[in-house]
Amino acid sequence: MIRDATIVMILGMGTVFLVLLALLGLMTLGGRLAARYAPPEPPAKPPAPVPKAPSGGPAPQNDAAENDSQTCVAVAVAAARRQGK
Amino acid sequence: MKYLKGKRMRLGLCLGLIATFIIGMASWAQTTMVADAPTAGDTAASVAAAADTDADTDASGQPAGEHLSLREGARKVVSTTGLAAFMSGQWRAAVMLVVGLVLLYLGVARDFEPLLLVPIGFGCLLVNAPFAGMGEDNGLLGLIYNAGIENDLLPLLIFMGIGAMSDFSPLLGSPRVVLLGAAAQFGVFGTLLGVILLNQLPGFDFTLKEASAIAIIGAADGPTSIVVGRRFAPNMMGSIAVAAYSYMALVPLIQPPIMRLLTTRQERLIRMRQERPVSRLELILFPLLILLVCIVFLPAAVPLMGSLALGNFIRECGAVNRLSNAMQNEIMNIATIMLGLGVGMQLEASQFLQPATLGIILIGLLAFSLGTAGGVIFAKIMNLFSPNNPINPLIGSAGVSAFPMAARVSTRVAMEYDPQNVLLMHAMGANVAGQIGSIVAGGVILALFS
């Protein structure tokens, strides 16, 4: 029975390595093809820094979008405070 | 204080009287039913049938009809209590109730794989309740087992859930770590040899099929252990599943000493290069790729791999997020409860309390150790061939399938020596490779012995 177990061990490890080596080859090939034809999207750029407000004055309002986001934040903070009460 | 003492005394007295009454009744029932006392393996149905037969005739041999004497009724009730069963040969069931409670303790208080040990422990309690018939074909656990485990449905549903929860991008970003998942399967096939060697000891006599079913514990993969165990060692399936899940929970204790033993300090400090970024197309195609490889090379593993691939494809394709969420949550949770109860049903006293169970538990430890060692040593061998881009051998231990515990252990051990060296993503790559490797190992055994 030890002989049988040894055969199963050799066959088993051999098959596992064969299958995973095939997978490794295909993954490597797929990675190269993907790099050529479907490259991963570059990570999103960090938001541009907000210019510092001149001393004593209010922060400059860049554009409408930033205004909107600030309004959203203000609304969220107000809602959170109301919930807290 | 005096009041409390008095209250405690009265409570103790009451409990003592109740216990004396029950024990007295049980003893009486036992002495009056020496000939037809229930034995281990008797079910509620058989006891009731025996009692019905007794009740059909009275002392004079006349049909009893609807008349039930106080003595007969009391005897019937008392003879079907758990206490009477424990005192008349079913003491093993009482031992198994303790085992069930220990499993619950490990799951709840010690946080050892609670998602599975809690339903398994409860299943153990239910199936060992005398005369309750929970494990019979029409009992709750019997129904669950026959409908969900006997046909592999629940393990496959679990694999779908695992696929839907797995992110293969660490593996795709560093494909060579897939070989660590292959090397760690030495835990399966090395253990197979160990089981056969265990046969040299008195009390152990495993066949090659049973040895393979036990050795699959080394894959550290619960559903695969259940599928293989049910096919080749159905009477040991409960012990195999409990050993697999228990050792998976003990990975943080089992693996670090082996990892330290097999690596030098210098090797533990190796910093690995960052993985390449992976495109969405690769992630979508990967489950189809592993399925095709499996179809081509090892069709016996297609049910397991196909379920994993289906779950992962649904996750990555992005077209059916509702299904992906259902697989990750509702389906996975329901399947886990059912699987746990079904496995718990296999912890029936006559099946579990055998010398073989002790052997399975010892061999399980060997299996996990060999799997860990196989991964670590193979990582060191790989470093001989790529000295410019070395692998930290500590991630080799994550090649066993215990996901994500093994990857966390690799990361934690590496950070003990260099807090800035975060290996988590590399270890996750080896860990998901281990999932694939364990399915392939299970498929090889299925192909060889089916």
Side-chain angles (χ1 to χ4, degrees):
Chain A
M1 200 182 262
I2 291 175
R3 186 175 164 276
D4 293 342
T6 310
I7 290 170
V8 173
M9 187 175 81
I10 293 167
L11 277 176
M13 287 305 288
T15 311
V16 170
F17 268 100
L18 177 73
V19 172
L20 293 192
L21 272 171
L23 192 61
L24 171 61
L26 289 170
M27 277 194 293
T28 309
L29 182 67
R32 286 186 185 158
L33 289 176
R36 176 175 288 185
Y37 298 109
E41 292 165 10
K45 287 180 183 174
V50 178
K52 281 184 181 176
S55 56
Q61 300 298 311
N62 276 353
D63 51 17
E66 193 176 288
N67 251 340
D68 282 350
S69 65
Q70 286 177 351
T71 310
C72 288
V73 171
V75 168
V77 169
R81 282 187 182 159
R82 188 174 298 173
Q83 289 289 327
K85 284 178 185 178
Chain B
M1 198 66 187
K2 275 183 183 175
Y3 171 76
L4 270 178
K5 272 187 180 173
K7 197 178 176 184
R8 277 185 189 166
M9 194 180 285
R10 281 198 294 275
L11 186 65
L13 201 61
C14 285
L15 289 175
L17 280 172
I18 291 168
T20 311
F21 174 74
I22 292 172
I23 291 171
M25 290 289 277
S27 306
W28 168 70
Q30 205 180 355
T31 51
T32 55
M33 294 172 56
V34 172
D36 57 337
T39 55
D42 272 356
T43 60
S46 60
V47 171
D52 283 347
T53 311
D54 289 349
D56 284 346
T57 55
D58 60 14
S60 60
Q62 296 295 319
E66 293 178 0
H67 300 292
L68 182 66
S69 70
L70 183 64
R71 186 170 178 276
E72 279 298 319
R75 197 184 90 171
K76 210 170 173 180
V77 170
V78 171
S79 66
T80 53
T81 59
L83 199 64
F86 299 147
M87 291 173 68
S88 60
Q90 293 198 43
W91 60 270
R92 286 163 185 264
V95 174
M96 288 310 295
L97 293 181
V98 175
V99 171
L101 291 173
V102 169
L103 291 177
L104 287 177
Y105 169 76
L106 291 177
V108 176
R110 296 285 176 163
D111 206 26
F112 282 7
E113 291 285 337
L115 288 176
L116 276 149
L117 283 194
V118 168
I120 289 176
F122 224 93
C124 177
L125 293 182
L126 294 177
V127 79
N128 287 293
F131 311 130
M134 298 290 277
E136 290 171 9
D137 281 350
N138 290 325
L140 173 68
L141 301 184
L143 288 170
I144 290 172
Y145 184 83
N146 291 331
I149 296 182
E150 188 68 29
N151 51 19
D152 293 341
L153 173 67
L154 290 172
L156 297 183
L157 285 179
I158 295 275
F159 261 119
M160 279 186 207
I162 292 173
M165 291 195 286
S166 295
D167 177 10
F168 286 106
S169 55
L171 177 63
L172 287 163
S174 178
R176 61 184 176 149
V177 297
V178 79
L179 295 178
L180 299 178
Q185 303 316 313
F186 185 64
V188 176
F189 296 105
T191 304
L192 175 63
L193 211 55
V195 180
I196 297 302
L197 290 175
L198 197 70
N199 275 349
Q200 310 301 321
L201 297 177
F204 297 105
D205 186 23
F206 297 114
T207 64
L208 197 56
K209 279 186 178 182
E210 288 172 342
S212 304
I214 296 167
I216 201 74
I217 294 172
D221 182 341
T224 304
S225 302
I226 291 168
V227 168
V228 176
R230 186 193 65 74
R231 297 237 178 126
F232 301 134
N235 55 334
M236 298 176 195
M237 198 266 274
S239 319
I240 291 170
V242 168
Y245 282 116
S246 304
Y247 284 125
M248 277 159 69
L250 290 173
V251 156
L253 298 179
I254 296 172
Q255 286 194 326
I258 300 167
M259 293 155 75
R260 291 192 187 101
L261 184 72
L262 295 175
T263 52
T264 62
R265 184 178 172 79
Q266 206 171 4
E267 285 170 333
R268 287 173 222 141
L269 293 171
I270 291 176
R271 290 196 173 197
M272 293 177 66
R273 285 186 197 167
Q274 197 177 357
E275 302 152 331
R276 70 172 176 82
V278 177
S279 69
R280 183 155 176 266
L281 181 65
E282 284 180 85
L283 287 170
I284 293 173
L285 292 180
F286 183 70
L288 298 176
L289 182 70
I290 55 174
L291 180 59
L292 288 175
V293 167
C294 204
I295 289 171
V296 171
F297 289 102
L298 196 62
V302 165
L304 298 169
M305 195 70 90
S307 303
L308 184 82
L310 169 65
N312 193 251
F313 184 77
I314 281 180
R315 167 200 168 95
E316 298 295 352
C317 74
V320 279
N321 283 337
R322 277 173 53 192
L323 300 190
S324 174
N325 289 335
M327 280 184 179
Q328 292 180 41
N329 299 299
E330 292 86 355
I331 293 175
M332 185 72 171
N333 291 342
I334 292 170
T336 303
I337 294 170
M338 298 294 171
L339 188 75
L341 287 172
V343 170
M345 183 200 140
Q346 293 299 304
L347 299 183
E348 202 264 322
S350 60
Q351 290 185 15
F352 191 81
L353 293 180
Q354 293 177 355
T357 303
L358 187 66
I360 289 169
I361 288 169
L362 287 174
I363 289 164
L365 184 62
L366 172 75
F368 269 65
S369 306
L370 285 180
T372 305
V376 173
I377 291 171
F378 197 78
K380 292 170 68 135
I381 293 171
M382 286 172 76
N383 282 346
L384 297 177
F385 295 95
S386 62
N388 296 327
N389 185 14
I391 290 176
N392 189 319
L394 293 177
I395 70 164
S397 66
V400 301
S401 176
F403 183 84
M405 189 82 83
R408 285 190 197 139
V409 169
S410 296
T411 311
R412 200 195 69 208
V413 174
M415 289 179 77
E416 281 174 16
Y417 295 89
D418 178 2
Q420 306 296 319
N421 192 9
V422 182
L423 293 175
L424 186 63
M425 292 310 279
H426 299 285
M428 282 290 187
N431 212 180
V432 291
Q435 281 184 327
I436 296 170
S438 68
I439 293 176
V440 176
V444 173
I445 290 173
L446 290 173
L448 280 173
F449 296 113
S450 287

